[in-house]
Amino acid sequence: MTDTTTRVRPGRLIINGEAVDAASGRAFTTMNPATEVPICEVAEAGAEDVERAVRAARAAFESGPWPRMRPAERQRILFRLGDLILEHGDELGRLETLDNGKPIFESRQIDVPMTANCFHYFAGWATRLAGETLPVSPAFFTYTLREPLGVVAAIIPWNFPMIMVGWKCAPALAAGNTVVLKPAELTPLTAIRIGELALEAGLPPGVLNVLPGPGNVAGEALVRHPGVDKVTFTGSTAVGQRIMRLAADTVKKVTLELGGKSPNIVFADADLDAAVRGVSTGIFYGKGEVCAAGSRLLVEASIHAEFVAKLAERAKKLQPADPLDPKTRLGALVSEAQMKKVLGHIESGVAEGARLVAGGRRQPVDGKGWFVQATVLDAVENRMRVAQEEIFGPVLAVIPFDGVDDAVAKGNDIRYGLAAGVWTKDVKKAHAVARRLQAGTVWVNAYNFYDAGMPFGGFKQSGFGRDLGPECLREVTQVKSVWVNLE
């Protein structure tokens, strides 16, 4: 297996425009999940570093040039950052694959362009954020201003660490906020590198600070800090609930994009070959470590046997392999703990009566790595753990249904509501089912498509607020009403 981890330099914190060590001097090791070999040492942010970073971000907001800069200049800098991400695409893609275990095809060909596109897209919004003139009375000139919030804490997960930098930071910065970014401890490398590129692009000191470190220390300190005005978080529902409780003490604004257990619904009148491909992508892309993964396949009873046979055949061909090989499509899970969690869920599903029709086991590559086979569990009942709990791995639970009402009922019978898929040639049915599903995103005859211009977020316990699209700019700005007496 290819292993080039020795060429990765140690990671440092970025505070007030400088790369620095943690105040405590502590560091942690980030591991290559495909080889089980250390990649490098990374400075470990603690409470004192959070204090330094928030102080720098607050000063940059209160008295620095960023919020007062001409919007066209902010636009230029953010667009330049997007360009730099593309220029360093090979480096960033490699770092992402080494750190996360995902195939280099995904890191380089999908994650890098999508991250750059976020900065390019939201750079354009820097000049378009505006208030309104509201003629409420002839005696007054009345209007609104849309203003930045202040200091935004962005706490991001380990499954898409590079993309999440774009999702969280680009809109906040475009609106004139300053940001303290805390990447996941398991995957800090691309966030640190983009933080360095941001300085090269021209972001003033203190505007974007990067604090790799443990969530229960650095993350909680950020949420508690009175100098932070807003927390935007992507991660588990349990951690999102804790963030809400902690943020209440300082009445912070909070945006949460949390877990999912999304139904991918295949009707008998669908293009079955296209649906098999889409269902496979929906669960096995990103090793299934995707919040919106289509981890529950709801398939109409009349085509159940045929469809599952085709899907199982496809899953068996999808073999774990070296993530740095451009041909690989199934990489390593992010950590040994995550691998054990996924394998435990598979065992639980079989114990509850599900039938294993593909995968189900660990499959090291060259004797190393936290790889799990593409797994399909058939004969799943919607009450089973594998149908209700987020597994976050390449594990698909197959649930048969009878008719539209049954499909919608089973699709919605979950505490989550992040995404869903609908496969049918009947346009009226597609629109009707999409309206009835309790999900923030519904794909029809497709799955796992995203764009910087399209809002993304959840219903129910999948969170609230939106990333991406014009909608998310409301999450990082506030409205001020101004009354000017004309009499």
Side-chain angles (χ1 to χ4, degrees):
M1 183 183 295
T2 308
D3 186 2
T4 55
T5 56
T6 54
R7 297 202 298 271
V8 178
R9 56 190 171 85
R12 304 178 76 190
L13 316 181
I14 298 177
I15 299 177
N16 204 27
E18 297 181 353
V20 298
D21 293 325
S24 66
R26 295 182 62 179
F28 63 91
T29 302
T30 186
M31 301 288 291
N32 183 335
T35 62
E36 304 176 44
V37 171
I39 301 172
C40 66
E41 294 293 298
V42 178
E44 181 178 313
E48 187 174 342
D49 304 300
V50 169
E51 182 63 38
R52 288 193 293 166
V54 174
R55 193 183 311 124
R58 175 57 57 188
F61 182 75
E62 299 289 353
S63 56
W66 188 250
R68 293 155 197 82
M69 191 178 287
R70 292 177 61 246
E73 182 64 9
R74 283 206 304 273
Q75 179 185 58
R76 185 193 65 77
I77 292 171
L78 291 176
F79 205 91
R80 175 60 179 149
L81 177 53
D83 286 347
L84 286 172
I85 289 169
L86 292 177
E87 290 172 20
H88 291 263
D90 289 343
E91 174 194 4
L92 289 167
R94 174 175 161 271
L95 283 176
E96 193 83 330
T97 288
L98 291 175
D99 218 10
N100 172 272
K102 66 175 61 182
I104 191 68
F105 167 78
E106 295 178 13
S107 299
R108 181 64 185 90
Q109 305 304 324
I110 299 172
D111 293 9
V112 167
M114 188 176 292
T115 305
N117 181 245
C118 276
F119 285 98
H120 288 153
Y121 174 83
F122 286 106
W125 274 102
T127 58
R128 296 166 59 194
L129 289 170
E132 297 179 285
T133 300
L134 302 169
V136 299
S137 168
F140 289 89
F141 174 49
T142 46
Y143 60 95
T144 62
L145 297 172
R146 184 163 290 277
E147 300 181 340
L149 292 172
V151 177
V152 174
I155 303 174
I156 61 175
W158 46 256
N159 58 335
F160 288 95
M162 179 169 22
I163 285 176
M164 287 293 113
V165 175
W167 283 32
K168 302 296 187 182
C169 297
L173 294 171
N177 298 284
T178 57
V179 176
V180 181
L181 170 68
K182 198 208 81 66
E185 189 176 6
L186 287 172
T187 55
L189 298 181
T190 48
I192 295 171
R193 187 67 183 109
I194 292 174
E196 295 169 348
L197 293 176
L199 295 173
E200 185 178 334
L203 253 69
V207 172
L208 177 60
N209 308 273
V210 185
L211 299 182
N216 62 356
V217 178
E220 290 206 3
L222 274 172
V223 176
R224 293 179 184 275
H225 201 293
V228 172
D229 300 289
K230 162 72 186 279
V231 176
T232 177
F233 169 76
T234 292
S236 73
T237 296
V239 174
Q241 291 167 337
R242 178 158 180 77
I243 286 174
M244 287 183 70
R245 295 186 188 103
L246 295 177
D249 290 340
T250 47
V251 198
K252 284 182 175 59
K253 294 177 174 60
V254 177
T255 297
L256 302 176
E257 192 262 278
L258 306 177
K261 192 70 178 176
S262 301
N264 211 348
I265 302 171
V266 179
F267 289 97
D269 61 0
D271 179 333
L272 297 191
D273 289 335
V276 167
R277 292 191 298 270
V279 167
S280 179
T281 299
I283 183 58
F284 300 133
Y285 176 81
K287 309 159 285 172
E289 293 173 331
V290 181
C291 298
S295 52
R296 287 189 299 151
L297 168 60
L298 275 59
V299 59
E300 197 153 14
S302 62
I303 59 165
H304 170 263
E306 175 189 1
F307 194 86
V308 171
K310 289 185 176 183
L311 185 63
E313 181 182 1
R314 188 178 182 89
K316 290 172 183 176
K317 292 178 180 177
L318 188 62
Q319 293 294 308
D322 179 2
L324 286 171
D325 184 338
K327 296 180 181 178
T328 296
R329 293 297 180 269
L330 187 62
L333 298 187
V334 74
S335 68
E336 184 178 19
Q338 184 63 21
M339 179 190 70
K340 289 179 177 178
K341 175 189 172 187
V342 170
L343 293 172
H345 273 287
I346 295 170
E347 292 176 6
S348 169
V350 172
E352 286 189 271
R355 184 169 62 93
L356 187 65
V357 296
R361 294 185 298 276
R362 180 184 184 184
Q363 185 174 318
V365 176
D366 296 337
K368 293 287 187 179
W370 300 311
F371 297 87
V372 172
Q373 296 171 328
T375 299
V376 180
L377 291 169
D378 193 17
V380 173
E381 297 180 4
N382 211 39
R383 290 293 93 202
M384 292 180 180
R385 282 185 61 208
V386 290
Q388 290 291 314
E389 297 182 12
E390 186 174 40
I391 298 173
F392 231 58
V395 181
L396 181 64
V398 183
I399 305 166
F401 70 86
D402 293 296
V404 169
D405 290 342
D406 190 35
V408 171
K410 287 177 176 174
N412 288 338
D413 186 17
I414 194 81
R415 67 186 176 119
Y416 299 110
L418 189 56
V422 179
W423 297 83
T424 176
K425 294 178 182 176
D426 185 333
V427 175
K428 291 173 66 176
K429 182 192 295 182
H431 285 294
V433 172
R435 284 185 177 229
R436 294 174 65 186
L437 289 171
Q438 297 165 356
T441 294
V442 179
W443 290 285
V444 177
N445 295 328
Y447 208 92
N448 262 345
F449 284 82
Y450 306 87
D451 188 88
M454 197 71 170
F456 183 81
F459 287 17
K460 300 191 284 189
Q461 291 191 38
S462 289
F464 51 82
R466 291 294 179 267
D467 290 313
L468 305 180
E471 191 77 18
C472 84
L473 293 162
R474 299 178 185 177
E475 312 285 354
V476 291
T477 56
Q478 55 195 347
V479 174
K480 177 184 292 179
S481 296
V482 179
W483 295 65
V484 180
N485 192 343
L486 300 179
E487 294 186 349

